[in-house]
Amino acid sequence: MTGFFNTTLGLSYGWSWFLATIIGILVIALPLMLAVAMIIYADRKIWAAMALRRGPNVVGPFGLLQSFADGLKVFLQETIVPSAANRGLFLLAPIITFTVALIVWAVVPFQPSVVLANINVGLLYVLAASSLGVYGIILAGWSSNSKYPFFSAIRAAAQMVSYEVAIGFVLISIVMWAGTFNLTGIVEAQKGLYGFINGFAFNPLLFPMSVVFLISSLAETQRAPFDLTEAESELVAGYQTEYSSMSFALYWLGEYANVLLMCTLNATLFWGGYLPPFDWAPLYFVPGIIWLFAKILFFFFVFSWIKATVPRYRYDQLMRLGWKVFLPLSLFWVFLVSGVLMFMRVGI
């Protein structure tokens, strides 16, 4: 696209690159916002089906416009800032959470050459950028000057840090096996396992890490059964208690954008990303983005299924799982994978 603006429209390379980047951002961000609205609807429909209810079914055909009606409602509401709150940080916190949820998508490969920023350290970028989301939550809890949001923010910080450590070691195993931090390279490294299948999850050595990553994804996004940050029985609505109107909506959008991102990372890192499930030539006629979307929707269904069926953990169980189970397991797996690779490449 940069070349098009440069040669056809006669713009300088700098302006051509700038316009191409802006268009690329909009092409990702606008469909993502639409997708977030629709997966909120899908989430509610899945919960309803599992509880033998109807779910949203009034606004629009089959209730498809319910999320947009909810969005219009919060947009028209008054933004209320508590009198004792730190006004600047109170309003900045949801903006940080929403922005961080969007910037990570810059390095996600939708097809072999369809990625906004195909950087060599894409996986490090994902880990660094997604870790910033905790700041939006901490600021929300502290700036509200209210006890329940503050307790929730402390819980969220401890929870996210705990499971990010395990996720980091899981990613080390993936990087060692693929030999690159580039997400497109990681996807391509999953091609042709055993000569006919695509995906690290089918590798017996890496399959346990795919399970650890999936469970850690639930904890990282504070989804059930790890939604202790919004436990209604003791924390009302958690760090969002004092928020209303669009500031509350930004948290809602950021939360679901993060859920979509974690579904995408599960599909990209372990299940072949944009590759078809089997390394069979006719399957490659289907565009890679279709395969990726199908895998994302599958993992989102799993997220909703778990939320509708699994009871909430106690907080001590949550932390024990992160520090006493996942951390030692993922650390041991780094040594195991490195040892196997050393043996395969060098020998005894």
Side-chain angles (χ1 to χ4, degrees):
M1 190 176 291
T2 303
F4 170 80
F5 287 127
N6 195 1
T7 58
T8 306
L9 300 183
L11 298 176
S12 66
Y13 178 81
W15 278 107
S16 300
W17 176 86
F18 177 76
L19 288 176
T21 303
I22 293 296
I23 292 173
I25 292 172
L26 294 177
V27 165
I28 293 175
L30 296 181
L32 178 62
M33 292 299 96
L34 178 62
V36 166
M38 297 317 298
I39 67 163
I40 293 174
Y41 165 81
D43 216 7
R44 297 171 67 180
K45 274 293 190 181
I46 293 170
W47 300 342
M50 292 188 177
L52 298 180
R53 296 185 288 105
R54 289 185 179 274
N57 64 344
V58 175
V59 185
F62 308 105
L64 285 169
L65 300 181
Q66 182 65 55
S67 294
F68 300 100
D70 293 339
L72 179 63
K73 179 185 71 175
V74 296
F75 180 75
L76 296 177
Q77 287 176 342
E78 178 185 1
T79 300
I80 299 174
V81 180
S83 58
N86 185 314
R87 184 180 182 87
L89 294 179
F90 184 84
L91 297 175
L92 179 64
I95 297 174
I96 292 175
T97 298
F98 178 70
T99 304
V100 169
L102 290 182
I103 61 175
V104 184
W105 288 87
V107 295
V108 173
F110 297 96
Q111 285 191 172
S113 57
V114 182
V115 55
L116 182 62
N118 192 25
I119 57 178
N120 291 331
V121 290
L123 199 55
L124 285 180
Y125 173 85
V126 169
L127 194 60
S130 61
S131 301
L132 296 175
V134 70
Y135 289 104
I137 294 173
I138 285 289
L139 287 177
W142 182 83
S143 65
S144 297
N145 199 23
S146 175
K147 296 297 185 292
Y148 289 129
F150 183 69
F151 290 155
S152 174
I154 296 302
R155 276 190 177 186
Q159 178 174 327
M160 294 174 74
V161 169
S162 300
Y163 283 86
E164 277 171 5
V165 174
I167 286 177
F169 285 120
V170 171
L171 297 183
I172 290 175
S173 299
I174 292 295
V175 168
M176 287 193 300
W177 198 272
T180 178
F181 282 97
N182 182 272
L183 286 177
T184 303
I186 290 174
V187 173
E188 292 296 330
Q190 301 178 56
K191 194 172 183 179
L193 184 66
Y194 309 124
F196 69 95
I197 202 166
N198 298 325
F200 283 148
F202 299 102
N203 184 334
L205 193 61
L206 295 178
F207 176 75
M209 290 298 96
S210 70
V211 176
V212 170
F213 189 83
L214 175 62
I215 298 173
S216 298
S217 299
L218 292 168
E220 181 74 8
T221 53
Q222 292 127 37
R223 294 278 292 191
F226 306 112
D227 54 342
L228 274 300
T229 58
E230 299 176 22
E232 295 88 353
S233 58
E234 68 265 26
L235 290 177
V236 194
Y239 56 87
Q240 306 173 32
T241 300
E242 304 294 343
Y243 282 90
S244 61
S245 185
M246 281 305 295
S247 55
F248 175 79
L250 287 178
Y251 272 118
W252 197 246
L253 292 172
E255 177 184 338
Y256 273 90
N258 277 325
V259 169
L260 271 181
L261 176 66
M262 284 301 174
C263 293
T264 305
L265 290 179
N266 273 281
T268 300
L269 297 176
F270 292 98
W271 297 91
Y274 54 75
L275 296 174
F278 299 100
D279 191 21
W280 185 43
L283 295 179
Y284 288 94
F285 287 108
V286 178
I289 195 169
I290 302 297
W291 291 116
L292 180 61
F293 283 175
K295 295 171 185 177
I296 292 172
L297 292 177
F298 170 76
F299 278 107
F300 182 75
F301 175 78
V302 172
F303 273 48
S304 297
W305 183 6
I306 292 172
K307 182 163 186 173
T309 55
V310 179
R312 180 179 289 139
Y313 268 43
R314 292 198 317 265
Y315 198 73
D316 62 305
Q317 294 173 328
L318 168 75
M319 298 305 286
R320 182 168 63 246
L321 180 66
W323 288 107
K324 293 187 176 180
V325 179
F326 283 178
L327 177 58
L329 179 63
S330 57
L331 183 58
F332 168 75
W333 229 258
V334 170
F335 287 103
L336 181 62
V337 170
S338 60
V340 170
L341 288 174
M342 186 68 71
F343 174 77
M344 291 170 55
R345 296 172 184 176
V346 181
I348 297 177

